[in-house]
């Protein structure tokens, strides 16, 4: 795959360990959901390295000092429905007060193109750091459309985070939105004829919510 300055592919042994269990078809729904959340938390540590901060005064048992803390109400999580919901709690572990918007999209079974059916975003989102999440970055269509929608709403600081990515999808998002950093835990081989990621982990939504 072509190298892009705005793409971060994780290669951490803790994440790789969890990905191995995530791929296993025998992994239970409960464990699958927990693994998605845990991987998301590990990725968030790097994804939001440059989150806005402010300086405050703290009194220790010995003296007063200044310390930088995360600025209140500075982060918004936007999952792409429905599978993106599985990543929200993973970010909330580190940013429990982050607001959550929702973008609903489904893939046309014939064209494989994304179709928007729902959008609800917090007021003032244009001034926040927006983290768009979806466990699977396959063709990149839904990710590109979701990011474009957010830009139309005035969002300027957008990051995209996926657990598993296909080269086709990563390249599409990186080229379409060079100002958006794309964080992917694991880069897989590619897509099959039905645009599923190989080796992948199946349908993330079905495995998260037990719908198949």
């Amino acid at each position: 795959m072509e190298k892009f300055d705005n793409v971060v592919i994780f290669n951490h042994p803790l994440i790789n360990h969890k990905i191995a269990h995530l791929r296993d078809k025998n992994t239970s729904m409960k464990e699958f959901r927990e693994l998605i959340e845990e991987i998301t938390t590990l990725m968030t540590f790097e994804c939001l390295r440059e989150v806005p901060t402010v300086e405050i005064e703290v009194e220790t048992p010995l003296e007063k000092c200044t310390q930088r803390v995360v600025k209140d109400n500075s982060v918004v999580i936007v999952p792409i429905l429905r599978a993106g919901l599985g990543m929200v709690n993973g970010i909330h572990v580190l940013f429990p007060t982050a607001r959550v918007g929702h973008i609903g999209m489904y893939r046309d079974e014939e064209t494989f193109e994304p179709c928007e059916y729902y959008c609800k975003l917090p007021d003032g989102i244009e001034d926040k750091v927006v983290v768009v999440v979806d466990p699977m970055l396959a063709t990149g269509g839904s990710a590109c459309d979701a990011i474009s929608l957010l830009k139309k709403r005035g969002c300027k600081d957008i990051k995209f985070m996926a657990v598993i990515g296909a080269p086709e999808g990563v390249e599409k998002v990186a080229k379409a939105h060079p100002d958006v950093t794309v964080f992917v835990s694991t880069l897989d081989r590619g897509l099959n004829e039905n645009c599923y990621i190989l080796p992948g982990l199946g349908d993330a939504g079905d495995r998260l919510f037990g719908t198949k």
Side-chain angles (χ1 to χ4, degrees), residues 76 78 101 121-130 150 153 155:
V76 173
V78 179
L121 303 171
D123 291 339
I125 191 172
E126 64 276 6
D127 299 319
K128 316 298 182 188
V129 177
V130 181
L150 289 166
R153 300 293 181 94
C155 298

Side-chain angles (χ1 to χ4, degrees), residues 1-4 6-9 136-141 143-144 160 162-178 180-188 191 197:
M1 187 187 79
E2 181 182 346
K3 291 192 69 175
F4 297 91
N6 62 324
V7 174
V8 177
I9 307 295
M136 310 298 284
L137 179 52
T139 65
C144 283
F160 180 86
V163 175
I164 303 288
E168 297 92 330
V170 173
E171 288 186 5
K172 181 170 183 174
V173 178
K175 289 179 178 179
H177 299 285
V180 173
T181 304
V182 179
F183 294 87
V184 179
S185 134
T186 300
L187 187 67
D188 273 8
L191 303 175
I197 301 175

Side-chain angles (χ1 to χ4, degrees), residues 182-211:
V182 179
F183 294 87
V184 179
S185 134
T186 300
L187 187 67
D188 273 8
R189 185 171 75 250
L191 303 175
N192 66 11
E193 64 277 6
N194 295 317
C195 292
Y196 279 93
I197 301 175
L198 296 174
L201 44 77
D203 188 297
D206 285 339
R207 296 192 67 184
L208 278 164
F209 304 116
T211 48

Side-chain angles (χ1 to χ4, degrees), residues 63-122:
E63 64 179 23
K64 291 182 179 180
C65 68
T66 57
Q67 180 70 47
R68 299 204 70 82
V69 297
V70 175
K71 183 180 178 182
D72 286 341
N73 193 25
S74 59
V75 175
V76 173
I77 311 165
V78 179
I80 298 177
L81 301 178
R82 64 181 166 147
L85 291 171
M87 299 177 70
V88 173
N89 286 345
I91 300 178
H92 269 156
V93 168
L94 299 180
F95 294 88
T97 60
R99 298 188 182 185
V100 181
H102 298 87
I103 294 177
M105 291 184 174
Y106 67 90
R107 185 174 68 171
D108 187 289
E109 294 301 325
E110 294 183 1
T111 66
F112 304 121
E113 292 297 314
C115 303
E116 178 192 336
Y117 66 89
Y118 183 77
C119 181
K120 181 70 173 179
L121 303 171

Side-chain angles (χ1 to χ4, degrees), residues 8 10 41-50 159 183:
V8 177
F10 288 79
T41 299
L42 291 170
M43 295 177 67
T44 300
F45 184 81
E46 181 64 28
C47 176
L48 292 178
R49 175 185 290 273
E50 298 179 359
K159 304 175 189 300
F183 294 87

